[in-house]
C-alpha cells in the first residue's frame, strides 16, 4: 500500500479541530500579567529573566557585611552559591503558591533597571485576611525612598484590591531603615520577639497596620494595578472589593 503523501499527512483539513487556540485554555499562571505602578516604580511578580537581574544586583551588595538585617542570613552565602540558593527560594515560592498560603515576590524596577524585590505573604488569607511583607533594595539605590514606595505599592494591592484587613511587618531592632518605613506608612508597634541572628540572640520589633491607618498615613498617590483578573484573584484567595 502506498503511503500518503507528506501533504496529506501534515495538512489534513480537520487538524485545527484537535489543536484549539491557546486562548481556549485556562491561563496556568495569571500572576504573570499582574503589574503595579507607582510614580517612580514598576513591580511585577518574579520571572526567570527578572531573577537574573535581581541576583546580579544582590551580588553588588545589599547591606554592610558587618550587619545582618535578615532573619534568614541569605546574603552570607559565598558568591558561587548565592545565585542558585536565591533561585531555589524564589522558585519554591512560586511552586508552593495556593489560595490559602502564598508568597508573591515582586521584582522592582526604577526606569527599567532592577533595584530590589518586594514580597507580599499571606497564610489562610480567605479566613484571616492579613498579609506580611519583606523586601530588600540594592545598596546603590538606598536612601532614595524606594523602600517606602514599593511597600506602599503592595499595601495598596492588599488593602484596595485583595480585601486584606491587616498587614504585619517585623525587623531587627537595629534595622532602623525598615522600622522607619513602617512608621512612615502608619504601622503601630505590636510588641517584640526574640530571634536568633548569626547564632546570637536578637530582638525583632513587630508592627501592625490597618487599612484605615494606611489611608490616613500612607502616600497621597495610589498604585496603578493592572492584570488583576478573576483567575489572578482566585490564585490569591482574594475577597471581592469595591474596585
Amino acid at each position: 500500500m502506498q503511503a500518503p503523501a507528506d501533504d496529506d499527512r501534515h495538512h489534513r483539513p480537520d487538524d485545527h479541530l484537535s489543536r484549539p487556540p491557546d486562548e481556549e485554555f485556562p491561563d496556568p499562571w495569571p500572576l504573570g500579567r499582574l503589574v503595579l505602578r507607582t510614580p517612580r516604580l514598576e513591580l511585577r511578580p518574579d520571572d526567570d529573566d527578572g531573577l537574573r537581574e535581581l541576583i546580579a544586583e544582590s551580588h553588588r551588595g545589599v547591606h554592610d557585611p558587618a550587619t545582618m538585617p535578615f532573619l534568614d542570613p541569605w546574603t552570607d552565602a559565598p558568591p558561587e552559591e548565592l545565585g542558585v540558593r536565591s533561585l531555589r527560594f524564589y522558585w519554591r515560592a512560586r511552586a508552593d503558591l495556593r489560595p490559602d498560603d502564598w508568597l508573591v515576590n515582586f521584582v522592582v524596577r526604577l526606569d527599567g533597571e532592577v533595584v530590589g524585590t518586594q514580597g507580599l505573604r499571606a497564610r489562610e488569607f480567605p479566613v484571616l485576611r492579613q498579609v506580611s511583607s519583606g523586601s530588600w533594595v540594592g545598596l546603590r539605590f538606598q536612601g532614595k525612598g524606594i523602600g517606602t514606595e514599593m511597600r506602599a505599592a503592595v499595601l495598596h494591592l492588599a488593602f484596595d484590591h485583595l480585601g486584606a484587613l491587616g498587614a504585619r511587618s517585623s525587623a531587627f531592632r537595629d534595622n532602623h531603615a525598615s522600622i522607619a518605613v513602617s512608621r512612615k506608612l502608619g504601622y503601630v508597634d505590636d510588641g517584640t520577639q526574640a530571634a536568633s541572628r548569626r547564632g546570637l540572640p536578637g530582638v525583632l520589633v513587630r508592627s501592625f497596620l490597618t487599612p484605615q491607618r494606611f489611608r490616613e498615613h500612607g502616600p497621597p498617590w495610589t498604585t496603578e494595578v493592572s492584570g488583576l483578573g478573576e483567575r489572578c484573584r482566585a490564585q490569591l484567595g482574594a475577597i471581592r472589593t469595591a474596585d
Side-chain angles (χ1 to χ4, degrees), residues 26-36 45 97-100 102 104 106 125 157 161-162 225-240:
D27 184 354
W29 192 246
L31 277 169
R33 304 182 183 185
L34 180 60
V35 186
L36 312 182
L97 185 144
R98 57 184 189 271
D100 63 340
W102 47 262
V104 180
F106 291 88
F125 185 73
L157 173 67
H161 298 274
L162 301 182
V225 177
S226 60
L228 187 65
E230 287 306 312
R231 287 187 59 79
C232 189
R233 290 178 184 274
Q235 265 193 333
L236 300 177
I239 308 299
R240 169 55 68 181

Side-chain angles (χ1 to χ4, degrees), residues 118-185:
Q118 176 67 60
L120 189 66
R121 181 85 163 95
R123 289 188 171 93
E124 297 187 73
F125 185 73
V127 177
L128 302 178
R129 298 176 68 180
Q130 293 194 7
V131 296
S132 60
S133 60
S135 65
W136 62 261
V137 176
L139 266 175
R140 63 197 182 117
F141 297 104
Q142 292 177 15
K144 301 178 181 180
I146 291 173
T148 302
E149 192 166 328
M150 65 195 209
R151 199 194 304 182
V154 296
L155 290 172
H156 275 298
L157 173 67
F159 290 143
D160 297 344
H161 298 274
L162 301 182
L165 297 179
R168 297 188 179 277
S169 180
S170 62
F172 281 108
R173 183 172 279 163
D174 57 2
N175 189 347
H176 304 298
S178 178
I179 293 172
V181 168
S182 295
R183 289 177 176 163
K184 188 181 300 184
L185 292 174

